[in-house]
Amino acid sequence: MTSKALWTILSVASCCCGVLSSSLPSSVCYSLENVGSYCEGEEWANMSLPVQQYLRDQGWTSVMWDNHSNDDPYWDLDWDEMPLEWQNALLTLGWTDETWDSESAMQPLSHYTPWKKLFNEEKEAAKILGFVEDEWLWGNWGEEFNPVVLRNLSIPELQVMDLDYLSRLDVMVELRDGDTVGDDEFGVREKMHMSDYIQALRSGSKLYLKYEDHDAFKQHIRREVGEKVLQHLVPVIQKSVLREQGIYKKVFDHVSFNDRNWLIWVGGANTTTSMHWDADVFNLLWVVQGRKRVVLIPNDERTAGDYECQVEVEDGEHSCWTNIDILSGPLPPHAVEIEIGPGEGVYLPHLSWHAVQNLESTVAYGFRIDVDQEEEAIRIVNQIDTQV
């Protein structure tokens, strides 16, 4: 995914039917299930609200559409393909020709800044690109801050996978420092047999077992842990209030799950994961044993400029770490504090700042879906729709 592509990672999956394209062929009309119909060249004001929202989800604004709906939008163009006016506007917003065409450049600060906090020259540059205040890209960065606590989420098949269960697994594990502030993904890791680790944990060790995303050590417990998490946790999520609220989207039913989707955290009392956000479009944490304290902070106009990424994993397409301790002392403004125990879970909103503390020896499992998987699922749904 290119750096400029992040400018158009919006709520694209909310529709998930019809033809998805940022640049649409001329003189063509489209009919989208649960959205409506529209034609190329049609005035923005004449389109229904669902269609307008759908096009916003593709990266369009009303001004862009009325002025350039028959052209390639700027975000689909390489630097040298754009008119000078657009290049100058992007320069004002912090881009350069190199960062625009780069596969891995970081986003400029304007990308994280709400409209009211932009400098006047930045606002004028944004207007040249077709933005107005109500449609500035900041409003689409992340999603509504809506953490959801799931109580009484009983999954007997997983609730037996506690410390005793794990201690019987004849595997080596890789451990992180569970007492660090800042990124723990690139730190020194220690290897230990699972049974020795569980014994050390019970004796007060601050080492933390965290297998997330593509951790290579997942393969050693795939059958005993990973496959069971996917087999038993996902169906419960699909039938939960998260489905009813539209948080677990219908398009997720077309995702092919693999090792990157399941997670495990095992840590002793007062081990922590410090403040960061994750780029996953769906992120659920569920506890089997022990208790966790979760502090969440909205990543929107309320906190714009308050926190900066000190470490970006995979150029910000995976996670962002602040090196700030929000688990000690008074909570920051807008923070939400949640405590969950056995059989309870919490949905972590996309890109929300959060930190987690184990209040006692804890085993928890998780389930995530990343942006690339969602986009692939959307393509599958569109292909099915066009064949009907």
Side-chain angles (χ1 to χ4, degrees):
M1 185 181 297
T2 64
S3 56
K4 64 187 177 186
L6 282 174
W7 270 39
T8 54
I9 295 178
L10 312 176
S11 52
V12 64
S14 61
C15 300
C16 73
C17 291
V19 178
L20 292 178
S21 173
S22 297
S23 177
L24 303 174
S26 178
S27 303
V28 175
C29 293
Y30 295 84
S31 180
L32 302 167
E33 184 180 353
N34 300 322
V35 175
S37 301
Y38 69 97
C39 295
E40 190 67 31
E42 182 178 356
E43 292 187 6
W44 184 272
N46 294 333
M47 293 187 290
S48 68
L49 292 178
V51 168
Q52 291 177 359
Q53 185 58 54
Y54 169 80
L55 292 172
R56 287 194 181 99
D57 289 344
Q58 307 310 302
W60 292 97
T61 69
S62 57
V63 176
M64 287 181 204
W65 180 263
D66 285 341
N67 293 339
H68 301 288
S69 65
N70 291 309
D71 305 320
D72 288 327
Y74 73 90
W75 64 83
D76 266 358
L77 300 176
D78 291 334
W79 186 266
D80 292 337
E81 297 174 327
M82 284 188 286
L84 182 62
E85 183 181 37
W86 288 2
Q87 292 178 349
N88 289 334
L90 290 170
L91 287 170
T92 300
L93 291 170
W95 293 95
T96 68
D97 55 347
E98 293 182 355
T99 57
W100 183 258
D101 290 336
S102 171
E103 293 287 336
S104 59
M106 293 176 59
Q107 308 299 299
L109 182 60
S110 63
H111 177 71
Y112 302 94
T113 305
W115 183 269
K116 292 180 180 179
K117 293 188 178 182
L118 290 174
F119 294 112
N120 287 334
E121 57 267 27
E122 291 175 325
K123 291 180 181 178
E124 292 305 313
K127 290 177 182 178
I128 289 172
L129 296 174
F131 289 104
V132 293
E133 180 173 357
D134 291 343
E135 296 176 305
W136 174 234
L137 61 87
W138 168 265
N140 296 303
W141 177 249
E143 61 180 38
E144 180 183 356
F145 182 64
N146 59 339
V148 178
V149 179
L150 302 172
R151 307 292 185 187
N152 302 315
L153 198 66
S154 176
I155 310 176
E157 297 87 350
L158 298 184
Q159 287 169 312
V160 298
M161 293 165 51
D162 56 10
L163 289 173
D164 290 336
Y165 173 86
L166 296 173
S167 68
R168 294 191 293 270
L169 300 183
D170 184 18
V171 295
M172 297 294 293
V173 293
E174 191 174 64
L175 308 165
R176 311 183 195 189
D177 180 3
D179 192 28
T180 185
V181 174
D183 164 55
D184 64 3
E185 302 202 42
F186 295 126
V188 177
R189 301 193 184 188
E190 183 174 338
K191 296 179 177 62
M192 188 181 298
H193 193 276
M194 178 73 87
S195 60
D196 294 333
Y197 168 60
I198 299 300
Q199 183 178 352
L201 177 154
R202 286 169 163 159
S203 299
S205 172
K206 289 298 183 69
L207 292 174
Y208 204 159
L209 192 162
K210 300 180 184 180
Y211 287 172
E212 304 174 298
D213 306 305
H214 294 288
D215 277 314
F217 267 68
K218 276 186 170 183
Q219 62 182 310
H220 301 305
I221 57 172
R222 177 186 296 123
R223 187 181 63 180
E224 297 85 354
V225 175
E227 293 177 2
K228 295 179 185 294
V229 172
L230 294 179
Q231 180 182 358
H232 300 294
L233 181 56
V234 176
V236 172
I237 295 172
Q238 292 172 332
K239 297 177 182 178
S240 73
V241 66
L242 298 178
R243 169 78 92 182
E244 298 172 7
Q245 295 179 3
I247 294 172
Y248 191 87
K249 304 171 185 176
K250 292 183 178 179
V251 72
F252 294 160
D253 294 339
H254 297 271
V255 173
S256 296
F257 302 130
N258 53 47
D259 274 352
R260 81 174 95 171
N261 298 108
W262 65 270
L263 307 94
I264 178 175
W265 297 273
V266 183
N270 294 315
T271 51
T272 61
T273 299
S274 65
M275 181 181 180
H276 67 289
W277 55 247
D278 297 304
D280 304 281
V281 295
F282 184 87
N283 193 353
L284 180 79
L285 167 66
W286 181 77
V287 174
V288 165
Q289 180 178 1
R291 302 199 69 80
K292 282 182 177 285
R293 171 181 174 238
V294 184
V295 176
L296 299 103
I297 302 175
N299 186 3
D300 57 22
E301 68 279 356
R302 289 169 287 183
T303 58
D306 293 347
Y307 309 107
E308 295 184 3
C309 297
Q310 299 301 318
V311 176
E312 288 189 341
V313 180
E314 297 181 13
D315 302 307
E317 294 184 26
H318 178 278
S319 60
C320 155
W321 299 76
T322 64
N323 294 347
I324 295 176
D325 181 9
I326 60 171
L327 295 172
S328 303
L331 293 177
H334 311 296
V336 173
E337 187 175 33
I338 295 169
E339 184 175 323
I340 54 175
E344 298 177 336
V346 58
Y347 163 73
L348 308 173
H350 179 46
L351 298 177
S352 62
W353 298 109
H354 59 281
V356 184
Q357 176 185 14
N358 291 321
L359 301 176
E360 53 192 70
S361 296
T362 302
V363 176
Y365 299 106
F367 175 72
R368 294 177 181 171
I369 298 174
D370 67 27
V371 173
D372 290 340
Q373 288 182 305
E374 181 183 41
E375 291 178 346
E376 176 60 25
I378 292 171
R379 284 191 286 269
I380 292 172
V381 171
N382 289 332
Q383 186 176 16
I384 293 173
D385 186 64
T386 56
Q387 293 174 349
V388 173

